[in-house]
Structures are given as C-alpha cells and as structure tokens.
Amino acid sequence: MPIVAAYAVPHPPLIVPAVGRGEERAIQATIDAYEEIARRIAAHAPDVLVVCSPHAPLYRDCFFVSGAQRACGDMSRFGVRDGALSLPYDVELSAEIRRRAGAYGIPVTGPHEPEDQLDHATYVPLHFFLPAAPDARLVRVGLSWLAPADHRALGRCIAGAADALGRRCVFVASGDLSHKLKPDGPHGFAEEGPAFDAQVIACLAAGDFEGLFGFDEAFCAAAAECGLRSFQMMAGALEGVPCDAELLSYEGPFGVGYAVAAFEPAKQQDEEAAAADPVVALARASVEGFVRTGRPIALPERLPDELTRRRAGAFVSLHMRGELRGCIGTIGPTQDSLAAEIVRNGVLAASEDPRFAPVRPDELDALSYSVDVLAPPEPVADASALDPQRFGVIVEKGWRRGLLLPNLEGVDTVEQQLAIAKRKAGISPDDADVSLQRFEVVRHTAGGKAHDARA
C-alpha cells in the first residue's frame, strides 16, 4: 500500500513550545492530537513523509514539488533560532511524482538546488512527527490556484508514484481552517467562518472526501480558509482506499480553526484477508505484476496443492468502488494448473476485457478481487434442473455459447438467468431450442474464505 496513513493537521506556530512560551496551553487539545498522530506514525514506520503545505511556494498555474536534495528550516521568523530541522528529500519519489503529473497534463515545478528552506506549515508537523520517523525522507508539495480537480489528480499521482517505487508513505495535509472565527482574531469575524469550519470538520469526521469538493469559491474566500486544497489533495491520494476516519480535535480560541483528523486505510486488513486466501492473493499478484511491468508474473513458489495439482476453469473479476472493472474466465481448464489459469485470466481481466480500458497503475490500489473456480459442467434436460443462486448456466446452440455465473445481483429467477446467458451467446431469449449445462462454483473473495457461490 503506498499511503499507509494520512492526517489533516493545522500549523499554528505557537504549538512549538519555543514559540508559544506557554500560550500553547490554550490549544492543548491540538497538541494532544498531534502527539497521538506521532505515536501512530511511529507504528507505521514510513519511509517517506509527504507534506502538502499551503505555505510552500504557491503558483497560479502549476504545483510546487520539492526537487532539492535536502530540506532545512527553523522558526526564526517567529523569533526562535533553536530547533533547526534538517532532513533529506526523497529525490527519486519527487521525480516520479513530477513525471506522472506531466503524463496527466498537470503542470509541476520545483527547485533543484542542493538545499531549500522549509516553510512553517511544513516545519510545525515535522517538529512533532520527525522524531517518530527519524529515518524518513521528505517530499514537500505546494498548492496552486488551479481547480480542486487538479489538486485531487496530483494526490493520485503521489499515491501512484509511491506505489510504483514501493515507498511506505504517510501523507500529511497541513492546513488551518477559517481565519474569521472571532472579532478579535487575526482577520476579524465573518459568519462564513464558523459555517465553513462546521462543514469541513463534518467531512473529515465522516471520511466524506467527496464533500470536500462541494464548496463554493466565494464562500471559501469569505471564510478566509487555508487548508481546503491540502485536504483535497489528500483525498486524491486516498482515492479508492477504504479508510477509518477519526476527528481527533477541533478548536479555535484565537479566531483560527484548528482541526486534526486521522485516516487509517482499512485496505491493509483487506490485503491480509486476501493473503489468507492464496487464490485471491494470486489473482491480485497477477494483475498488479502485469500492470506494473507489462509482463505476466512467474508462478510463485510454495503454492498450495489446490492451486498446483488441480486443473479447473476460473473467472477473475475486478471491481473498483463496487463497480465491475474487468472479468475474464474459462469454462474449463486451459492451463496446466489452476494457478496458471488464475494468472492468465487475471492478466486478461486487467487488459483485454472489451468492455473496459486496460487497468492503469494508478488504479491498482482501488481494485478488489474475486475468483470463481468452476466445477466441471454437467448437461441438464431442461430448465427445471437450474437454480440461479446455486448453479451457473451454459447455453449452446450450434457454435454459439453463453455462460452466466451463479448468485449474481439482480438475477433472481431461472428465466432471467437464461435470458441473459442467451443474449451473451447471441441467441434470442425466446429461443427454447438450446442445450443446457449447469455448474457449481466456489467463490474466493478478499474476505479470506472460499465459499459456495450460494453464500
């Protein structure tokens, strides 16, 4: 998984004790939440911290992605010279992000000097998080005046680049909320301020990433918000990844909204479940290996006997956010083993299903997998021997043949099952002069258990 966790955090300088000098106690809930995130980051042991900062170089028509070798920074602009930070950039990952962004038409720039200076919206999170991941490298990303969709797209590029290079990344979306919460705050009060904060924290608490893209531009400007585009980029990086969302804190005693939210991808649990079922794990490996390299994978060693000593037809199905993304299968065995059958059909489902474009590398983390292993079909005299929940069906007339798997959503009757199978074969649904076969299926899913397709 490229993004092992993501966190939305504010960046008030005074939570750095040398800057706050006691004032930080007024936002202790924010500090406590920061410390909780640091503990979680330590447990994730990331290779890279990707920080999206509103105060990194900001351009109207392109994004900043760090290109230097090393980052340094302190809080001297806030009267503090102690506590300087210095850490290496992940130059390879930054370059891959820029390459992918360019391929998608997203304009990106970045300095290539040996060293550059951290902005405070990056420094503040690193002050808390770097001790939890002392060996992590940094990628720093800026915002732009481009559309929210472009911010989401760059987030996708970040996740795809991390995946391609095998990085374990924590994504940090640095951003305050409204700056207009109180008349005595830094920017005064506007009624849009509290309204904006209420809507954003509701989205963060619920993990409603789509809700982050429904804000009116004039409303955001009136609220004097800071972090929305950081959160939108984070949404792109997490796109398609089931997450457990948690709002750890929200407060605004100084007239600026500070929210801390955590997004721990649940996909890791799905991967562990898939690994528990070697059939699903092999299908996943076949698709991911082919999409990333353009070549089918070699059969892994030490596969269980059910995969190496058995021959059977199998269908590999790919889904993305609940929608079919590809499905190819064989009625009977065409390869030397069930394992080879699954690898072949996984490749074909990702690349040659005529209903879909080939799967792209940036889609891999959003895919879920199922594998249907077919028992040998048996002929039946008529439709009375069929059951769409228990048996799949094969209809044949001459050279035409159509197959439908069992236990499909929306297929509740034998009549529906036969009509669909006939249409797939190019046979009229009213044509009764067909031969029928039925077959049973064992369905393997990311739930980790093989089960009869009736379940």
Side-chain angles (χ1 to χ4, degrees):
M1 178 187 299
I3 307 297
V4 298
Y7 305 103
V9 299
H11 46 253
L14 60 80
I15 64 172
V16 177
V19 177
R21 299 176 183 176
E23 289 188 63
E24 69 272 15
R25 289 192 291 270
I27 49 173
Q28 188 62 45
T30 298
I31 296 171
D32 292 344
Y34 250 101
E35 291 174 347
E36 169 60 23
I37 289 177
R39 286 190 288 271
R40 298 186 187 191
I41 288 176
H44 286 300
D47 304 315
V48 183
L49 298 174
V50 177
V51 181
C52 177
S53 167
H55 297 287
L58 175 67
Y59 301 101
R60 178 170 296 278
D61 57 355
C62 66
F63 291 96
F64 166 88
V65 176
S66 55
Q69 299 289 318
R70 196 166 189 86
C72 298
D74 57 32
M75 298 295 277
S76 58
R77 65 172 291 196
F78 299 97
V80 174
R81 296 195 176 275
D82 295 334
L85 296 178
S86 177
L87 73 161
Y89 279 120
D90 189 327
V91 177
E92 186 182 16
L93 180 56
S94 293
E96 179 64 12
I97 293 168
R98 289 194 295 271
R99 186 193 70 78
R100 286 171 176 264
Y104 282 95
I106 304 168
V108 170
T109 188
H112 297 275
E113 296 82 8
E115 188 173 283
D116 73 2
Q117 294 295 310
L118 296 175
D119 61 279
H120 79 275
T122 304
Y123 178 97
V124 170
L126 290 180
H127 171 82
F128 286 88
F129 301 155
L130 196 55
D135 298 323
R137 289 168 289 172
L138 175 67
V139 169
R140 185 166 62 123
V141 183
L143 307 179
S144 79
W145 291 108
L146 294 172
D150 294 308
H151 289 74
R152 181 182 348 218
L154 185 57
R156 294 187 191 121
C157 292
I158 292 168
D163 189 26
L165 296 179
R167 301 292 198 265
R168 289 178 56 82
C169 290
V170 164
F171 191 105
V172 179
S174 180
D176 299 336
L177 301 187
S178 171
H179 286 62
K180 292 194 173 184
L181 299 183
K182 297 178 68 176
D184 58 349
H187 297 275
F189 174 80
E191 62 182 12
E192 291 87 353
F196 174 86
D197 281 18
Q199 293 179 43
V200 170
I201 62 175
C203 292
L204 296 178
D208 177 13
F209 295 135
E210 283 303 315
L212 297 171
F213 293 89
F215 286 86
D216 177 74
E217 186 176 341
F219 174 70
C220 293
E225 63 86 15
C226 167
L228 181 60
R229 287 167 292 168
S230 282
F231 307 152
Q232 290 168 342
M233 195 179 297
M234 177 184 69
L238 291 174
E239 189 169 80
V241 179
C243 290
D244 296 324
E246 184 179 4
L247 183 68
L248 297 177
S249 69
Y250 170 76
E251 52 191 349
F254 304 117
V256 179
Y258 303 136
V260 180
F263 304 93
E264 306 286 347
K267 185 172 182 291
Q268 184 175 357
Q269 299 172 359
D270 294 339
E271 289 175 343
E272 291 170 355
D277 187 332
V279 173
V280 177
L282 182 60
R284 181 192 296 276
S286 72
V287 171
E288 293 187 347
F290 178 78
V291 171
R292 287 176 180 144
T293 69
R295 300 183 303 276
I297 65 169
L299 288 181
E301 297 180 0
R302 296 187 295 278
L303 289 172
D305 289 350
E306 67 168 312
L307 287 170
T308 59
R309 297 186 178 180
R310 177 185 177 191
R311 299 179 71 229
F315 278 72
V316 176
S317 300
L318 316 178
H319 287 80
M320 178 178 289
R321 292 183 287 277
E323 299 294 330
L324 185 66
R325 184 62 180 85
C327 178
I328 293 290
T330 44
I331 297 173
T334 65
Q335 306 297 309
D336 292 338
S337 66
L338 176 57
E341 201 85 32
I342 291 168
V343 168
R344 176 182 180 274
N345 292 340
V347 168
L348 295 178
S351 61
E352 295 192 22
D353 188 327
R355 298 167 294 180
F356 304 97
V359 172
R360 304 187 309 271
D362 64 315
E363 295 179 295
L364 290 174
D365 287 312
L367 293 181
S368 60
Y369 298 78
S370 64
V371 180
D372 291 297
V373 179
L374 280 60
E378 57 181 5
V380 296
D382 55 49
S384 65
L386 300 178
D387 178 346
Q389 301 306 309
R390 177 179 180 183
F391 298 112
V393 68
I394 301 168
V395 297
E396 291 183 299
K397 184 169 186 176
W399 55 269
R400 296 187 177 93
R401 180 166 63 175
L403 175 146
L404 199 66
L405 295 170
N407 194 27
L408 297 177
E409 184 176 356
V411 181
D412 302 316
T413 67
V414 170
E415 291 74 21
Q416 290 174 319
Q417 186 184 45
L418 286 175
I420 296 170
K422 289 176 181 178
R423 282 197 294 270
K424 292 178 69 175
I427 302 170
S428 169
D430 298 324
D431 191 341
D433 185 22
V434 296
S435 62
L436 301 176
Q437 298 178 75
R438 71 183 187 183
F439 58 90
E440 292 188 290
V441 164
V442 174
R443 181 161 295 159
H444 299 255
T445 69
K449 293 182 180 179
H451 52 83
D452 187 288
R454 290 171 288 173

